[in-house]
Amino acid sequence: MRLIKVLSGQTVFDIALQELGSAVGVLDIALLNGISITETLTPGQTLNVPDYVLEKNVVADFKKNGIRPATADSDSEIYTQKLFQAGLFQAGLFE
């Protein structure tokens, strides 16, 4: 298990994508932390995440491009533009 810090606008799904490379792990994160998958997270809050990674290429691309998903942020359009600029959609990672 690893401990991560939540950023502004992040959801449990964002954390799963960022740390595990797939939203498939969202339930595991919720269960580890005793929260709902739709829980509203607070910036600075810490969450336990599993040690496994489902999609290493997604996690690597996020790190390489400095992208931290935050889809609950009011600037989600900017976030989506960053994904396109990083080539993640073109690489077929989010189709």
Side-chain angles (χ1 to χ4, degrees):
M1 203 170 4
R2 297 175 286 133
L3 195 63
I4 61 100
K5 190 177 283 192
V6 175
L7 299 178
S8 176
Q10 286 193 309
T11 66
V12 181
F13 282 90
D14 294 328
I15 299 299
L17 191 57
Q18 171 185 296
E19 297 298 323
L20 307 178
S22 173
V24 171
V26 72
L27 186 57
D28 287 343
I29 292 172
L31 290 171
L32 277 174
N33 293 280
I35 60 175
S36 164
I37 62 171
T38 59
E39 186 88 13
T40 300
L41 303 177
T42 305
Q45 176 179 354
T46 56
L47 292 177
N48 291 306
V49 295
D51 285 327
Y52 66 81
V53 174
L54 295 165
E55 296 289 339
K56 292 179 183 180
N57 58 335
V58 174
V59 172
D61 282 339
F62 278 146
K63 286 182 181 178
K64 174 183 163 191
N65 293 294
I67 297 172
R68 305 278 307 261
T71 57
D73 194 343
S74 59
D75 293 328
S76 61
E77 185 176 322
I78 293 169
Y79 163 71
T80 302
Q81 289 172 352
K82 285 183 179 181
L83 290 176
F84 274 108
Q85 290 168 351
L88 296 176
F89 281 98
Q90 296 166 359
L93 299 175
F94 294 97
E95 296 177 337

